[in-house]
Amino acid sequence: MNDSIPQAGPETVGNVRVPEPVFSCTDVNVHYGDKHAIKNVNIDIARQEVLAMIGPSGCGKSTFLRCLNRMNDTIPSARVTGRIALDGNDIHDKRQDVVQLRARVGMVFQKPNPFPKSIYENVAYGPRIHGLAADRAELDDIVGSSLRRAGLWDEVKDRLNQPGTSLSGGQQQRLCIARTIAVNPEVILMDEPCSALDPIATAKIEDLIDELRESYAICIVTHSMQQAARVSQRTAYFHLGDLVEVGETNKIFTNPRAKLTEDYITGRFG
Amino acid sequence: MNPSLVILLLLALVVVAFQVGKARSIEIVGGARGVRDLHSLPGHYGLLTAMWCGLPALAVFCIWMLAQDAIITHFALSSIPSAVAHLSPAERSLLLNDLHNIVNGRIDPATVAESTRIAAASYQSLRETAHLALAVLIAVIALLGLLYVRRRIRADLRARNSYEQVVEWALFACSGIAVLTTIGIVLSIVFEAVRFFQLIPITDFLFGLHWSPQMAIRADQVGSSGAFGAVPLFTGTLLISAIAMVVAAPIGLLSAIYLAEYADRRARSVIKPLLEVLAGVPTVVYGFFAALTVGPILRSVGETIGLNVASESALAAGLIMGVMIIPFVSSLADDMITAVPQSLRDGAYALGATRSETIKQVVLRAALPGIVGGLLLAVSRAIGETMIVVMAAGLAANLTANPFEAVTTVTVQIVTLLVGDQEFDSPKTLAAFALGLVLFLVTLVLNVIALYVVRKYREQYE
Amino acid sequence: MSNTSNGASAYQPPPADVTRAKVSAGLARRYRAEARFRALGLSATLLGILFVIFLFGSVIWRGYSIFGQHQVRLDVFFDPEVIDPSGTHSREALLAADYQALVRAALKSRFTEVEGRRQVRDLTALVSTGAAADVQDAVLADPSLIGQRRSMWVLTSSNVDWLLKGKVARSAPENERRISDEQLGWLDALIKDGRIEQRFNWTFFRHGDSRDPELAGVGGALAGSLLTLFVTLLLSFPVGVAAAIYLEEFARQNRITDLIEVNINNLAAVPSIVFGLLGLSMFIGFFGMPRSAPLVGGVVLTLLTLPTIIIASRAALKAVPPSIREAALGMGASRVQTVAHHVLPLAMPGMLTGAIIGMARALGESAPLLMIGMVAFIVDIPQGLTDPSTVLPVQVFLWSDSPERAFVERTSGAIIVLLLFLILMNATAVVLRNRFEKRW
Ligand SMILES: Nc1ncnc2c1ncn2[C@@H]1O[C@H](COP(=O)(O)OP(=O)(O)OP(=O)(O)O)[C@@H](O)[C@H]1O
Ligand SMILES: [Mg+2]
């Protein structure tokens, strides 16, 4: 897999490794055709922890996130190299099935993207295709509990048969989260999940993230430093494809060690 | 002085008018250096003058040319009153035909009756006079227009604005032609169809089970009813269209899916144009292919498995019509599928759906309204398709749902009723217009619904 | 959903490895479904390609041989006794002479053993009835030939051509190959003399229709098509472009504009035969325009292609970026000037492409032309816009109906010519688009 010559970039500041990580990434590089979008990134993601990724626009946060459940496979020009291990197994290994990988690593997108189906069917979709429910009753249970954990149940319990697109933006995003947790994943990736939402909906989702942390590892991309500070335990700062600094969130925001990080969080940059 | 000369004359006058207008505007401000005082460029004054010179004259010319033939024919016939007094409409139209043929030098005058020759001579001399009169009239109108504008040219005349106003109106008129065409279609078809329904009750036509229009042209049966029940034609049309859709819908849809979602760029860039070739092939070619290749093949295949397939079976026509529609369905479906936003696909992939699950359960689901609209358009195409069925389906108006038998369709009957000699008054001819009316209305309804659905669908993802 | 509300609070997601096992259990089945679906799509696509190959293959296979035609070399004696016994060389006399007799004599001079009416008839049947006309043309062109002996290449009859092209086996029964054993013997003798050759089939491109297959050609239909398309292009391009300009650049969004737009989109989907009905009752019935004339055909096809051209032209106008209009308007140009000087030149390649595609469609159209009588048996090549004529696709239709089997070859040949024209037009459109298409 390591066919590209790793280009020398600045060493990442801070401790990239954690004990017993869910994900362990080594020398990850991503190219879009000629464009080198991620350069030699090394980072671990711990269990029951929220990792925030911040950085100026176009620095490769989404690209890196999409490596973790191989969503970049759907982009013909994208080429990912390096080792990304989930529970110690390389996700690019031939034995690793991409369908199963994505069942284990869920993803929530920037723009809510409910399917053109009913609310119920939206949440039931994952369990259905993966055969997680033995019967209709169990499926009902999964849908109900997922909607509950996504904090949407009370708002939609009387209209489960209405189309998912009939919900408000914030509700749609929580529906997408419910859809993701219905598959019972081990990691949830979130790419700016609140950027299209108002502060109240954002607060709800942040609460939700906080709760979900108890059962899942969560990786969240955000442009809001306050949000990163509120929800995450660790923070990674990306810059032009480089992972500049990783560290505990409160330390990064109060006492960044890399110059680039400092510039960014003090607002001199981006 | 023939009409094309008149037009040349008018053109010359228009050119003169342009120069006159231009020169006048320069003269009025005292030479080329004063041009800055003009409201518009000198050329605009020229154009305005040319327009006033040419357009009214052109309008008169068109009206004159449209009316001329009828009026002159009337006078020419009145020169032989005894010969035209007792003519039936058919004989009369024959006479007129001869008359025009002589006048245009297409047949030898020696071959027709004396009276027709006289009428033709009178027609010709009248036409000479008329053309001369037209030339004079056109010249006068053009000159009047020219002089009128020339007198009005002043430095503050907003020549450009007036000229552009006319241009805009002309552009508007061009886009109005589409509406005029529709009105023309409706009027011409409805007019004749109504005459048909005066002869044959509309209920007999719409609900009658027996169709044999040939019976009614026998002299003793003119106007007799009972043979104009169009139900067999409707069922025949539906049968063939249904077969066509059974072929075209799955193949078109699946190939669109394959090309949009599975094939790589290189394969797509080769295969897509290849399939689009099918859309460019004229329908006569399909008809020929259906009648000469597919029909016999089906027949012999049927024979070997003990089926009796008519040589002009609904199946052959329907199959080939389906092939014709494949690229239509496929390109519409392709549009609809690519209109589905990538974010929906990503959503499904991120849940661990396989490609086919994503396509079947998310992409197609999202594109459904658009695809249904596209299929409706395809149905409307199949119903209105003519050449394939004329060549490959039969004339026998069988009321059957058996695809191995020969059936006939609305379009086939329109063609057979109208090709060849025809009298405008016989129910046989008028029946074609009644069928045309049904065809037009049905396809119109389908198109309106389909276009509405497709537009709504597109707006949703814009 | 009462089930959910009661039981759900107790529901706990199973441990990760349980979920993982469930997902794995279904994988094989799901991938099989995936492969099936993919195969389905692939076979549909291949089926489509197969149709293209089959269609073109069958037409070409039936029709390629049309480009050659067998001719026979006759030594014709331009007998003054037959052509012009009075010796006046007047045109009337030359026109009235019995040239068939010369052809017969030429054949008989080679086969002196041929006797009796029947045999002579069979012998002359080897040669096309057009041979006499060729001899006549030669004499009319050069009356000094009279009294001389010349070698002339004339067409063989279609049955001979058919046999020599191998479309029917020599061993086939007489009635099937339509050439008797005796005729076959004569033919072989001619071949041995080197008097029979396959030559390029100019007849097919020069002649109008004919009852004799070997004399029938697409020349008349080709001329009719060109005349008709000429009218169509002349009318539909300016009007279509003007309409598109109005709708894109001038029209305000109101009821009338909406009406026009809906109208255009609907007209584009109206069956073509309906336009034929319009032409028949309006142009021929009401305005008294001549039947079978390219003029009327052209007008009908104009109405038919107008929506296509308008839609394509609008797309071309839409592709011109608004910044260019703003720049021109900002310099004080009027709307008309902006469009005429800046927008139109940029949109022109796109509009031309649309026009060519519209013309290609018009060239292949036949149903509406049947309605206005362009479906007659026309021998003469039309010279003007009101001469009775037919068009290529209608010629295909007419021939395809003919029981004579040699017409199958003609029909396919005509289709090949038609398709060549269409390919040429579409290729031009593609080249035009690729050359001038600008990405802004
Ligand atoms: N599909 C693609 N093809 C080519 N280049 C791409 C593609 N997607 C992203 N890029 C490039 O890769 C780089 C990183 O993009 P990415 O979307 O990961 O940035 P980001 O950090 O998520 O930015 P933002 O905060 O704006 O979402 C950018 O320079 C972008 O232009
Ligand atoms: Mg991003």
Side-chain angles (χ1 to χ4, degrees):
Chain A
M1 266 293 154
N2 270 322
D3 52 352
S4 83
I5 308 137
Q7 289 177 2
E11 275 294 302
T12 305
V13 179
N15 200 358
V16 297
R17 300 292 168 204
V18 298
E20 284 198 49
V22 213
F23 267 115
S24 176
C25 307
T26 316
D27 291 337
V28 175
N29 283 277
V30 181
H31 295 259
Y32 289 112
D34 290 337
K35 171 145 182 81
H36 198 172
I38 290 287
K39 303 167 188 164
N40 268 332
V41 167
N42 290 283
I43 192 171
D44 281 0
I45 298 168
R47 291 163 206 280
Q48 300 191 328
E49 167 190 273
V50 177
L51 171 70
M53 298 183 178
I54 58 171
S57 190
C59 65
K61 306 177 297 286
S62 302
T63 303
F64 181 69
L65 201 66
R66 291 165 66 94
C67 291
L68 298 178
N69 67 345
R70 286 177 53 185
M71 280 303 279
N72 283 330
D73 289 11
T74 61
I75 301 172
S77 68
R79 192 161 51 86
V80 182
T81 60
R83 182 182 153 85
I84 303 172
L86 174 61
D87 275 340
N89 302 317
D90 192 339
I91 64 167
H92 290 113
D93 193 283
K94 274 199 284 298
R95 276 162 308 174
Q96 176 60 58
D97 187 89
V98 64
V99 165
Q100 186 155 40
L101 171 70
R102 289 178 188 155
R104 293 174 65 187
V105 184
M107 186 163 194
V108 177
F109 297 85
Q110 179 169 0
K111 249 181 69 193
N113 55 353
F115 301 135
K117 300 167 183 274
S118 70
I119 294 171
Y120 181 92
E121 285 301 327
N122 257 286
V123 182
Y125 183 70
R128 261 196 219 281
I129 56 172
H130 294 302
L132 299 186
D135 51 24
R136 177 73 189 207
E138 191 180 353
L139 191 60
D140 285 350
D141 282 346
I142 295 176
V143 170
S145 85
S146 306
L147 282 171
R148 250 187 215 97
R149 295 171 72 194
L152 195 59
W153 177 251
D154 292 328
E155 289 157 70
V156 301
K157 63 170 183 268
D158 303 322
R159 45 193 281 207
L160 288 174
N161 289 322
Q162 286 181 15
T165 43
S166 67
L167 298 173
S168 77
Q171 289 173 325
Q172 286 188 12
Q173 193 62 302
R174 277 179 285 151
L175 178 64
C176 291
I177 295 176
R179 187 173 74 183
T180 306
I181 56 186
V183 184
N184 194 21
E186 296 158 45
V187 184
I188 300 181
L189 311 173
M190 296 185 170
D191 192 350
E192 302 181 40
C194 302
S195 66
L197 306 182
D198 69 89
I200 297 173
T202 304
K204 279 193 180 165
I205 294 200
E206 286 179 6
D207 289 346
L208 178 59
I209 292 173
D210 226 31
E211 265 169 51
L212 293 176
R213 177 167 65 92
E214 287 164 20
S215 357
Y216 310 106
I218 294 177
C219 213
I220 179 170
V221 171
T222 175
H223 274 294
S224 153
M225 268 160 294
Q226 290 83 346
Q227 184 172 63
R230 281 195 299 267
V231 300
S232 72
Q233 284 72 53
R234 281 203 312 153
T235 297
Y237 174 67
F238 283 79
H239 187 90
L240 292 179
D242 291 310
L243 175 56
V244 176
E245 181 167 354
V246 182
E248 282 178 30
T249 299
N250 46 23
K251 288 201 179 134
I252 289 239
F253 282 109
T254 51
N255 188 15
R257 283 154 61 194
K259 176 85 174 61
L260 284 168
T261 322
E262 189 184 341
D263 287 351
Y264 182 71
I265 61 180
T266 51
R268 250 172 281 162
F269 195 95
Chain B
M1 202 77 183
N2 75 33
S4 40
L5 274 181
V6 177
I7 285 290
L8 278 181
L9 170 80
L10 182 59
L11 260 177
L13 281 174
V14 165
V15 172
V16 170
F18 176 80
Q19 296 299 344
V20 168
K22 193 170 158 187
R24 173 71 183 162
S25 69
I26 296 173
E27 179 196 326
I28 248 174
V29 290
R33 265 193 293 142
V35 163
R36 208 167 303 182
D37 299 332
L38 283 172
H39 170 271
S40 315
L41 293 174
H44 287 129
Y45 293 90
L47 282 172
L48 187 68
T49 321
M51 237 152 43
W52 273 90
C53 170
L55 289 181
L58 191 66
V60 170
F61 178 84
C62 291
I63 296 170
W64 185 288
M65 288 316 283
L66 280 180
Q68 176 181 293
D69 179 66
I71 295 172
I72 294 184
T73 308
H74 177 79
F75 282 117
L77 290 187
S78 62
S79 68
I80 47 164
S82 57
V84 290
H86 311 292
L87 290 181
S88 74
E91 288 165 326
R92 195 184 153 91
S93 85
L94 213 64
L95 174 74
L96 290 183
N97 214 6
D98 280 347
L99 181 70
H100 285 114
N101 278 336
I102 299 177
V103 169
N104 295 325
R106 258 190 244 121
I107 59 172
D108 187 357
T111 59
V112 298
E114 173 72 25
S115 60
T116 315
R117 260 203 311 271
I118 297 175
S122 125
Y123 185 104
Q124 259 159 336
S125 79
L126 279 171
R127 194 166 67 172
E128 284 296 309
T129 326
H131 284 162
L132 208 62
L134 175 64
V136 173
L137 184 65
I138 291 294
V140 168
I141 293 176
L143 284 174
L144 279 180
L146 191 167
L147 292 176
Y148 171 69
V149 182
R150 198 190 117 91
R151 275 220 357 240
R152 282 189 43 198
I153 291 180
R154 276 183 289 132
D156 60 350
L157 176 69
R158 298 153 67 90
R160 200 196 66 213
N161 305 47
S162 317
Y163 149 76
E164 289 185 347
Q165 200 60 48
V166 176
V167 169
E168 203 171 314
W169 273 104
L171 294 177
F172 173 71
C174 285
S175 67
I177 286 185
V179 181
L180 286 185
T181 308
T182 309
I183 296 175
I185 289 175
V186 171
L187 279 187
S188 58
I189 297 181
V190 167
F191 183 66
E192 311 284 352
V194 164
R195 285 171 64 194
F196 175 73
F197 292 133
Q198 282 164 358
L199 298 170
I200 314 284
I202 188 164
T203 44
D204 289 7
F205 172 71
L206 285 180
F207 306 114
L209 299 182
H210 188 60
W211 177 268
S212 57
Q214 305 304 334
M215 306 283 290
I217 57 163
R218 283 215 320 256
D220 52 328
Q221 282 195 339
V222 167
S224 78
S225 55
F228 286 101
V231 170
L233 311 193
F234 300 152
T235 55
T237 307
L238 287 183
L239 178 61
I240 290 182
S241 306
I243 296 172
M245 291 312 291
V246 164
V247 173
I251 296 184
L253 209 56
L254 284 170
S255 62
I257 290 172
Y258 184 79
L259 289 177
E261 306 272 344
Y262 284 104
D264 60 28
R265 272 239 311 282
R266 272 230 321 282
R268 191 161 49 231
S269 67
V270 175
I271 297 175
K272 243 182 144 173
L274 209 60
L275 282 183
E276 274 161 14
V277 164
L278 283 177
V281 173
T283 50
V284 253
V285 179
Y286 285 110
F288 176 68
F289 185 64
L292 223 80
T293 308
V294 179
I297 289 179
L298 287 180
R299 200 180 159 76
S300 59
V301 168
E303 247 160 42
T304 56
I305 58 172
L307 266 177
N308 189 15
V309 182
S311 56
E312 299 194 315
S313 64
L315 189 60
L319 275 180
I320 292 306
M321 193 188 284
V323 173
M324 179 200 84
I325 297 177
I326 288 174
F328 188 74
V329 173
S330 160
S331 83
L332 273 170
D334 185 63
D335 282 356
M336 303 304 149
I337 289 171
T338 43
V340 174
Q342 182 64 29
S343 69
L344 275 186
R345 291 184 178 82
D346 281 352
Y349 287 135
L351 285 177
T354 62
R355 210 183 265 249
S356 64
E357 284 162 353
T358 307
I359 295 167
K360 283 189 281 193
Q361 293 151 13
V362 175
V363 177
L364 284 188
R365 180 76 179 246
L368 196 63
I371 288 173
V372 168
L375 289 180
L376 282 183
L377 278 181
V379 171
S380 137
R381 272 222 145 172
I383 291 177
E385 171 48 39
T386 306
M387 293 318 287
I388 294 178
V389 279
V390 167
M391 294 166 83
L395 288 173
N398 292 327
L399 186 57
T400 174
N402 180 355
F404 303 120
E405 274 185 51
V407 295
T408 191
T409 72
V410 172
T411 47
V412 171
Q413 289 304 319
I414 295 178
V415 170
T416 27
L417 292 176
L418 287 184
V419 169
D421 295 327
Q422 36 178 271
E423 308 151 54
F424 256 98
D425 295 325
S426 83
K428 185 187 153 203
T429 313
L430 294 176
F433 285 90
L435 289 174
L437 182 64
V438 174
L439 180 66
F440 179 68
L441 288 180
V442 170
T443 52
L444 186 72
V445 169
L446 281 174
N447 295 340
V448 168
I449 296 175
L451 290 172
Y452 177 80
V453 170
V454 169
R455 203 182 68 209
K456 276 276 162 288
Y457 170 70
R458 287 236 167 88
E459 279 168 4
Q460 180 191 341
Y461 287 124
E462 246 161 25
Chain C
M1 217 117 312
S2 57
N3 208 343
T4 321
S5 20
N6 301 337
S9 48
Y11 178 84
Q12 278 301 316
D17 49 344
V18 173
T19 305
R20 231 177 288 166
K22 280 184 182 169
V23 173
S24 308
L27 275 181
R29 179 185 49 79
R30 289 169 67 193
Y31 278 119
R32 277 199 303 277
E34 170 75 24
R36 268 201 307 277
F37 187 70
R38 193 189 169 120
L40 209 59
L42 183 62
S43 30
T45 312
L46 290 181
L47 209 58
I49 297 173
L50 213 68
F51 278 132
V52 177
I53 294 171
F54 192 35
L55 181 70
F56 276 73
S58 112
V59 167
I60 292 173
W61 178 72
R62 282 179 200 276
Y64 75 94
S65 54
I66 195 67
F67 294 102
Q69 188 155 20
H70 286 91
Q71 304 196 357
V72 57
R73 184 160 51 85
L74 294 185
D75 297 327
V76 180
F77 174 55
F78 294 89
D79 190 347
E81 290 297 297
V82 175
I83 300 175
D84 192 15
S86 55
T88 54
H89 285 201
S90 73
R91 205 176 150 77
E92 282 75 49
L94 297 188
L95 278 172
D98 178 11
Y99 293 97
Q100 185 68 33
L102 298 186
V103 174
R104 211 179 305 128
L107 278 167
K108 270 203 323 209
S109 70
R110 169 63 185 75
F111 297 102
T112 43
E113 74 279 9
V114 170
E115 283 286 323
R117 255 175 173 281
R118 194 195 54 78
Q119 268 199 324
V120 171
R121 201 188 58 220
D122 285 356
L123 179 61
T124 39
L126 292 178
V127 183
S128 162
T129 50
D134 289 348
V135 175
Q136 178 179 34
D137 287 346
V139 173
L140 287 178
D142 179 14
S144 69
L145 281 177
I146 296 171
Q148 299 189 30
R149 186 177 295 278
R150 272 290 160 84
S151 251
M152 279 185 72
W153 285 99
V154 296
L155 295 177
T156 57
S157 73
S158 64
N159 285 333
V160 170
D161 191 46
W162 198 244
L163 180 90
L164 292 180
K165 279 175 179 168
K167 302 266 180 181
V168 61
R170 279 171 166 272
S171 54
E174 276 192 10
N175 63 342
E176 192 180 306
R177 70 180 181 222
R178 302 225 199 131
I179 298 226
S180 67
D181 290 334
E182 192 178 31
Q183 284 175 312
L184 200 58
W186 295 327
L187 197 55
D188 286 334
L190 285 173
I191 293 172
K192 231 170 72 215
D193 292 357
R195 283 176 178 276
I196 292 215
E197 239 176 52
Q198 175 148 218
R199 309 184 126 204
F200 187 78
N201 191 357
W202 286 112
T203 318
F204 184 63
F205 295 95
R206 287 198 189 124
H207 278 215
D209 204 354
S210 168
R211 299 279 179 225
D212 297 313
E214 75 273 11
L215 293 177
V218 291
L222 214 52
S225 271
L226 291 182
L227 288 170
T228 310
L229 278 197
F230 173 72
V231 176
T232 308
L233 185 64
L234 212 65
L235 292 176
S236 66
F237 187 58
V239 173
V241 167
I245 290 177
Y246 178 78
L247 291 173
E248 250 346 280
E249 307 285 335
F250 292 96
R252 279 161 287 272
Q253 198 61 43
N254 59 22
R255 279 269 188 72
I256 297 178
T257 315
D258 278 353
L259 177 76
I260 293 176
E261 260 179 62
V262 169
N263 234 296
I264 289 172
N265 288 335
N266 271 321
L267 271 188
V270 166
S272 60
I273 192 170
V274 171
F275 287 90
L277 291 176
L278 169 73
L280 175 61
S281 93
M282 195 77 121
F283 299 137
I284 294 180
F286 190 69
F287 289 132
M289 290 161 102
R291 291 183 130 264
S292 312
L295 180 65
V296 184
V299 174
V300 169
L301 291 183
T302 298
L303 299 182
L304 187 71
T305 48
L306 210 48
T308 317
I309 293 186
I310 295 179
I311 291 171
S313 301
R314 289 187 70 177
L317 287 170
K318 272 205 187 87
V320 176
S323 60
I324 288 184
R325 293 181 187 88
E326 281 153 18
L329 290 173
M331 305 247 327
S334 68
R335 290 192 87 83
V336 171
Q337 285 169 328
T338 305
V339 171
H341 301 164
H342 301 282
V343 179
L344 207 50
L346 290 175
M348 204 31 95
M351 293 175 159
L352 283 176
T353 311
I356 294 174
I357 289 169
M359 287 305 110
R361 186 173 164 213
L363 175 60
E365 199 56 73
S366 33
L369 302 181
L370 300 184
M371 304 283 92
I372 57 165
M374 295 187 83
V375 61
F377 174 75
I378 287 155
V379 179
D380 297 324
I381 293 182
Q383 307 292 332
L385 292 180
T386 50
D387 287 357
S389 53
T390 184
V391 294
L392 260 183
V394 177
Q395 188 71 72
V396 169
F397 168 65
L398 283 170
W399 281 345
S400 74
D401 230 15
S402 170
E404 194 92 48
R405 61 189 172 171
F407 271 115
V408 171
E409 189 194 22
R410 306 270 133 180
T411 317
S412 305
I415 290 178
I416 292 176
V417 173
L418 180 60
L419 290 178
L420 282 179
F421 269 95
L422 288 175
I423 290 170
L424 195 74
M425 290 167 88
N426 282 305
T428 317
V430 169
V431 168
L432 203 66
R433 180 159 52 205
N434 291 346
R435 250 188 89 106
F436 292 101
E437 190 176 54
K438 281 213 184 79
R439 297 235 166 263
W440 302 94

